[in-house]
């Protein structure tokens, strides 16, 4: 078996293990993408979000390295930036060879189009988006990149009471489709209403009827988040009383 066929088989196996409800159509797409670009599921080059494949920044960089890309030039566009408002715009030019005139991509980021989990890192997000768009143009990749999504969350964690808390990936009966959005919503509620994240996770698991939150289905987690938001908005005192009924859990510090 040659390396190409081996990678196709490996990607298929990994995809079915990570996204257990992935359809045959998506598997066929993955096989075609693997043959064309040499991407690796195990290395995190591609992800399935909301039922569609998305390339990652790491995957694009590895592709550029394999294709012997000779230059990636990134520059800030000051006329479109506003540091006070955390608004940043970058331009990236990618040259695949010495004869290439270059492929240009632009990336922007501000608090309105990034996940709450990466607030304060808008400049880096904008730069990454510019690089991704330029690389996608250069190598003819029609997939949107993960980092271009407004719900992009590089870490499965959030902060509450000044402490770092890690939230597990929502399984959704094996599906991680759209999970980053659920994590974002949950982390945002914890911060907005100053809740104890560890106890919220215990409450969520009890609400969903599972030992741990990651084993809950997506629908149940969505129902829990909706219920939690309603409780926090209408009777936060009662909610805090409920959360305080759970035993304290070890905290994860940064």
């Amino acid at each position: 078996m040659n390396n190409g066929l081996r990678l196709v088989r490996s990607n298929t196996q990994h995809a079915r293990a990570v996204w257990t409800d992935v359809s045959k159509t998506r598997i066929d797409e993955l096989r075609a993408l693997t043959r064309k670009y040499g991407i690796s599921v195990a290395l995190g080059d591609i992800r399935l979000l909301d039922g569609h494949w998305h390339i990652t920044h790491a995957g694009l960089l590895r592709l550029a390295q394999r294709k012997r890309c000779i230059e990636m030039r990134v520059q800030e566009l000051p006329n479109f930036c506003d540091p006070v408002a955390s608004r940043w715009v970058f331009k990236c030019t990618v040259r695949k060879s010495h004869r290439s005139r270059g492929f240009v991509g632009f990336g922007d980021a501000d608090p309105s189009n990034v996940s709450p989990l990466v607030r304060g890192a808008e400049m880096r997000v904008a730069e990454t988006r510019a690089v991704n768009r330029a690389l996608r143009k250069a190598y003819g990749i029609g997939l949107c990149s993960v980092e271009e999504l407004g719900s992009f969350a590089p870490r499965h964690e959030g902060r509450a009471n000044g402490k770092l808390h890690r939230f597990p990936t929502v399984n959704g009966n094996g599906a991680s489709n759209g999970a980053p959005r659920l994590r974002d919503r949950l982390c945002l509620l914890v911060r907005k209403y100053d809740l104890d994240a560890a106890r919220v996770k215990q409450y969520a698991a009890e609400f969903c009827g599972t030992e741990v939150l990651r084993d809950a289905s997506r629908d149940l987690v969505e129902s829990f988040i909706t219920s939690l938001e309603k409780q926090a908005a209408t009777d936060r005192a009662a909610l805090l009383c409920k959360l305080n009924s759970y035993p304290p859990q070890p905290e994860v510090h940064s």
Side-chain angles (χ1 to χ4, degrees):
M1 184 184 297
N2 61 38
N3 291 336
L5 290 176
R6 189 177 293 111
L7 182 57
V8 168
R9 174 172 292 184
S10 173
N11 279 349
T12 300
Q13 292 173 343
H14 276 91
R16 285 174 172 158
V18 176
W19 304 287
T20 55
D21 68 342
V22 61
S23 67
K24 182 180 183 300
T25 299
R26 295 296 172 256
I27 289 294
D28 289 341
E29 290 175 353
L30 177 62
R31 288 169 176 157
L33 291 167
T34 303
R35 295 188 187 100
K36 186 172 183 179
Y37 300 113
I39 56 177
S40 169
V41 172
L43 293 177
D45 292 346
I46 192 169
R47 295 180 187 173
L48 187 65
L49 300 173
D50 289 332
H52 298 282
W53 293 115
H54 292 73
I55 195 75
T56 67
H57 182 62
L60 288 167
L61 291 181
R62 276 191 280 268
L63 174 63
Q65 184 179 41
R66 288 194 300 274
K67 297 292 187 179
R68 300 182 184 278
C69 174
I70 67 164
E71 182 182 28
M72 282 186 287
R73 186 172 66 253
V74 184
Q75 58 189 117
E76 177 190 336
L77 301 181
N79 291 340
F80 299 94
C81 296
D82 183 355
V84 176
S86 297
R87 183 178 301 113
W88 302 91
V89 180
F90 283 83
K91 172 184 176 182
C92 178
T93 304
V94 168
R95 294 177 60 220
K96 298 194 295 182
S97 67
H98 291 287
R99 292 181 296 176
S100 173
R101 297 181 61 181
F103 295 82
V104 176
F106 297 89
D108 70 286
D110 60 59
S112 72
N113 65 9
V114 301
S115 162
L117 296 181
V118 291
R119 294 281 165 79
E122 288 85 359
M123 182 173 68
R124 295 191 294 276
V125 173
E127 180 186 19
T128 297
R129 288 174 174 175
V131 171
N132 287 7
R133 290 187 63 81
L135 287 173
R136 290 200 298 111
K137 286 183 180 180
Y139 296 103
I141 298 177
L143 302 178
C144 181
S145 69
V146 174
E147 292 79 7
E148 291 175 74
L149 301 177
S151 62
F152 170 57
R155 300 181 301 176
H156 304 169
E157 60 196 30
R159 288 187 178 272
N161 302 320
K163 301 181 179 65
L164 183 68
H165 300 274
R166 301 184 186 279
F167 286 85
T169 300
V170 176
N171 190 328
N173 284 332
S176 58
N177 301 356
R181 290 199 180 105
L182 291 183
R183 286 194 300 272
D184 286 356
R185 288 174 59 192
L186 190 55
C187 291
L188 185 60
L189 285 175
V190 166
R191 289 196 300 274
K192 180 178 179 180
Y193 294 101
D194 194 22
L195 306 176
D196 185 304
R199 287 187 166 106
V200 167
K201 287 189 287 184
Q202 292 180 76
Y203 182 22
E206 180 187 84
F207 181 96
C208 298
T210 57
E211 290 189 11
V212 291
L213 182 55
R214 69 171 62 89
D215 293 335
S217 70
R218 176 177 173 79
D219 289 342
L220 280 174
V221 174
E222 285 186 314
S223 295
F224 169 75
I225 292 174
T226 300
S227 175
L228 182 71
E229 185 172 20
K230 183 178 180 180
Q231 292 177 67
T234 59
D235 195 345
R236 181 174 177 274
L239 175 60
L240 291 178
C241 184
K242 170 68 175 178
L243 294 177
N244 288 334
S245 68
Y246 295 99
Q249 297 292 308
E251 296 166 341
V252 179
H253 299 277
S254 59

